[in-house]
Amino acid sequence: MTMLPIIERAHRHADRMAFWGPDETHSYADLLERSAGVAAGLLAGRRDLDEERIAFLVPTGVQYAAVQWGVWRAGGIAVPINSGAAVPEIEHVLENASVRRVVASPLLLSVLGDLPAKLRLDVLTPESLEGDCALPEIEPARRGMILFTSGTTSKPKGVVFTHAMIAAQASVLVDAWRWQAEDRIPLFLPMHHLHGILNVLTCALWAGAAIEPFTKFDPDRICARVAEGAYSVFMAVPTIYNRLVAWLDAPENKHHVKQVTGGFRAMRLMVSGSAALPAGVHTDWARRTGQQLLERYGMTEIGMALSNPYSGERRAGSVGVPLPGVELQLVSEAGRVVEGEGTVGEIWVRGETVFDEYWNNPDATAHSFRDGWFKTGDIATIERGYYRIMGRSSVDIIKSGGYKLSALEIEAVLLDHPDILECAVVGLADEEWGERVAVAAVFKGGARLGLSELKEWAKARLSVYKLPRTLLAVDTLPRNAMGKITKQAVKALFAEER
Ligand code: MLC
Ligand code: AMP
């Protein structure tokens, strides 16, 4: 019988610990049993979910993994929901993926707002899903997960993961970064994006390692556990490394710094990714902890593509070389493959880790590929054998706190505000967040709206990380000869203001 590779591997690790926390631990056997129960509960007498999309809203931990695996084992497609999302954002996800059933922990149920009634959803709790039945065979080509990601279209698109893709992405990282069953890792990243779901959760469980779950990144709690030597591997976005540096510098923590830096020093591996790690943070972290952060580059659509080496030079400001099995080329604006060092080009990728389609969006899918290569929109060059990310081809994509945001999505929401006539959203460089969301707005009539008022209004429509952080009232927006708003000129307006 064909069994999903991660399930097959979990059987081999049955007695090992998969999750642990202050009050409870869960073995792989426990996870297998729970996920079989979830699968049986979802099947409810059917033989196979046949790629039914099951959305879920479950806090990080054994229950999250049990629901994800339960959906997989029943033949469904798992659609994780951002527990910090605004109701209209969740509505978009549920409608786009034609979701009819949502598994929600009672504590997170309120996040759905009025959607259960409005969309006639069947809402199930993880605890209610149990049973014992024969589970279907799942072929590698079967689709297993959809992650929604922003891009150059206004609304987020669903990246479809087949089981083959998930297996390829996990196995390449487990090998490259030498995951071992003895590894222990904290998981505090959001569980609706690739970094937390694949690089941490799936890789750890693939390797038979143990995870300590947290519902969010809390530096006090994490540093206390680091000081106790709880972890061997650590993965985070650059904003989190900034936060850790700030924590170590805070006068109130000065008596704990030695133990905490000692805990970091003792780790086997510390990784940074999802956004550019400033070279200064890399060197500062090495000075404080002796750890050379391993920076890598990836994307929801392609998994991890470039990585500094596990053994060998981990260079500050660089993202290393293609991971095994990843084919990568740099392509100039004229569409020619760039050869040699020092010339910039867009990163195009192909290979087993690369996705095939956006859910229910053949146009966006077709637009993203050329001759079988996925066009990432990221610009890079090669310097002394290592790739360096130089920026993005679209000014409408913003990376803030490791989240990818679409300026167009935020603009579309802000334009619904009764006082806003027109607006332009841009990302401004920010030491803490990488970039922060800034909006230049032309108000209607004599209206004058403050930033906090605008944020308060937008909160019901956008996740917290998409909210405007800077607001500039302007009389007109800068336009080119064709009448199109020029975002570079909008950025210049903010620079003048400072
Ligand atoms: C929150 N705040 C922001 C903000 N987000 N301010 C500016 N810009 C942002 N983006 C503000 C809030 O309004 C609040 O302000 C304060 O910060 C704390 O908010 P919070 O929600 O509690 O934030 P916090 O939990 O501290 O979150 C910071 C974070 C989080 C860095 C831990 O953003 C995070 O987990 N990011 C990781 C995202 C991720 O996993 N991306 C991977 C995508 S996959 P106030 O005034 O109310 O205090 C991918 C592929 C790959 O990229 O390669 O990995
Ligand atoms: P997402 O769409 O959320 O998966 O985000 C993927 C994007 O994050 C990529 O297209 C890059 O722009 C960015 N990214 C990921 N890792 C890095 C890195 N190490 N350096 C710079 N940008 C990165």
Side-chain angles (χ1 to χ4, degrees):
M1 142 152 193
T2 320
M3 199 187 274
L4 288 170
I6 200 160
I7 302 296
E8 191 190 315
R9 297 172 73 91
H11 279 288
R12 281 189 251 150
H13 298 296
D15 295 333
R16 296 195 66 84
M17 182 170 74
F19 289 89
W20 92 101
D23 308 319
E24 47 182 30
T25 63
H26 299 279
S27 65
Y28 279 82
D30 183 1
L31 176 55
L32 284 167
E33 194 182 317
R34 283 169 184 255
S35 59
V38 170
L42 288 171
L43 284 165
R46 281 160 67 184
R47 283 200 43 236
D48 191 323
L49 291 184
D50 293 318
E51 297 190 341
E52 177 187 347
R53 273 77 57 215
I54 306 284
F56 66 113
L57 195 53
V58 179
T60 311
V62 68
Q63 198 74 288
Y64 179 104
V67 172
Q68 184 195 52
W69 285 17
V71 174
W72 289 352
R73 298 178 79 182
I77 298 182
V79 187
I81 301 288
N82 170 10
S83 58
V87 172
E89 293 173 314
I90 300 178
E91 185 171 3
H92 166 69
V93 166
L94 299 179
E95 289 214 305
N96 186 275
S98 308
V99 171
R100 304 252 56 90
R101 293 199 283 172
V102 181
V103 181
S105 296
L107 273 175
L108 293 177
L109 200 55
S110 62
V111 172
L112 294 173
D114 61 351
L115 294 176
K118 187 173 174 188
L119 304 180
R120 300 208 187 138
L121 300 170
D122 197 355
V123 181
L124 310 154
T125 62
E127 294 75 19
S128 71
L129 294 169
E130 51 183 16
D132 184 15
C133 68
L135 298 176
E137 294 209 4
I138 310 294
E139 296 298 328
R142 173 87 72 112
R143 298 179 290 188
M145 184 163 72
I146 303 178
L147 299 186
F148 278 79
T149 179
S150 297
T152 46
T153 50
S154 169
K155 298 257 177 144
K157 301 185 289 274
V159 173
V160 179
F161 288 69
T162 61
H163 288 289
M165 237 178 104
I166 296 168
Q169 293 190 4
S171 63
V172 81
L173 293 187
V174 166
D175 287 349
W177 298 342
R178 313 231 182 122
W179 275 94
Q180 306 148 15
E182 289 68 36
D183 278 325
R184 288 160 289 125
I185 188 167
L187 174 47
F188 41 72
L189 292 168
M191 290 307 287
H192 60 291
H193 277 310
L194 189 75
H195 198 160
I197 295 174
L198 213 121
N199 295 21
V200 183
L201 179 76
T202 309
C203 283
L205 297 180
W206 188 269
I211 297 164
E212 185 171 34
F214 295 86
T215 44
K216 67 177 292 188
F217 176 72
D218 172 347
D220 287 338
R221 286 184 63 204
I222 301 290
C223 287
R225 298 290 291 131
V226 169
E228 289 166 8
Y231 313 120
S232 61
V233 181
F234 196 91
M235 294 192 187
V237 300
T239 302
I240 288 181
Y241 286 109
N242 284 331
R243 291 269 174 95
L244 289 171
V245 167
W247 190 95
L248 292 172
D249 283 342
E252 66 272 25
N253 297 326
K254 87 168 182 255
H255 299 301
H256 307 293
V257 166
K258 206 162 160 225
Q259 277 126 316
V260 174
T261 49
F264 282 121
R265 190 179 297 271
M267 288 184 197
R268 173 179 83 69
L269 173 66
M270 296 191 71
V271 178
S272 175
S274 301
L277 179 74
V281 178
H282 182 111
T283 40
D284 185 33
W285 194 256
R287 182 182 58 76
R288 288 166 190 263
T289 67
Q291 285 281 353
Q292 299 285 339
L293 294 175
L294 184 157
E295 186 172 4
R296 62 24 171 219
Y297 158 89
M299 191 174 184
T300 309
E301 287 88 337
I302 60 171
M304 297 304 109
L306 292 159
S307 172
N308 274 278
Y310 186 81
S311 310
E313 185 197 3
R314 297 181 190 167
R315 198 183 298 160
S318 292
V319 288
V321 297
L323 282 156
V326 175
E327 283 182 80
L328 192 143
Q329 61 184 20
L330 297 183
V331 180
S332 72
E333 270 188 73
R336 273 190 285 280
V337 177
V338 167
E339 303 288 352
E341 301 219 337
T343 316
V344 295
E346 184 184 357
I347 302 177
W348 289 17
V349 184
R350 93 185 158 182
E352 282 185 352
T353 53
V354 177
F355 82 134
D356 295 319
E357 54 170 340
Y358 292 111
W359 180 261
N360 204 8
N361 199 339
D363 289 349
T365 304
H367 197 72
S368 307
F369 285 89
R370 175 83 53 84
D371 305 328
W373 293 86
F374 174 70
K375 304 182 285 174
T376 63
D378 290 308
I379 309 297
T381 186
I382 306 175
E383 274 177 16
R384 290 183 291 127
Y386 280 19
Y387 285 77
R388 177 193 273 277
I389 308 293
M390 306 301 285
R392 283 181 291 273
S393 58
S394 169
V395 71
D396 285 323
I397 291 180
I398 300 170
K399 262 265 157 166
S400 189
Y403 286 106
K404 188 195 249 185
L405 317 178
S406 162
L408 306 181
E409 179 189 6
I410 301 171
E411 283 163 9
V413 168
L414 298 183
L415 282 173
D416 276 341
H417 192 286
D419 291 339
I420 294 181
L421 183 65
E422 52 177 13
C423 67
V425 167
V426 291
L428 300 182
D430 185 278
E431 223 173 280
E432 184 181 359
W433 298 97
E435 286 181 292
R436 70 172 185 281
V437 174
V439 52
V442 180
F443 292 115
K444 285 181 193 162
R448 273 287 172 267
L449 195 65
L451 177 64
S452 48
E453 227 180 314
L454 180 62
K455 256 163 76 178
E456 206 42 50
W457 175 87
K459 240 189 218 167
R461 296 153 177 90
L462 293 168
S463 302
V464 71
Y465 47 83
K466 296 179 188 169
L467 296 178
R469 304 289 160 176
T470 305
L471 172 65
L472 185 64
V474 291
D475 294 330
T476 57
L477 289 168
R479 291 190 144 78
N480 64 16
M482 315 290 285
K484 197 169 174 297
I485 293 169
T486 44
K487 292 274 174 103
Q488 290 309 340
V490 173
K491 283 191 176 191
L493 289 179
F494 284 101
E496 273 169 34
E497 249 334 88
R498 291 177 64 223

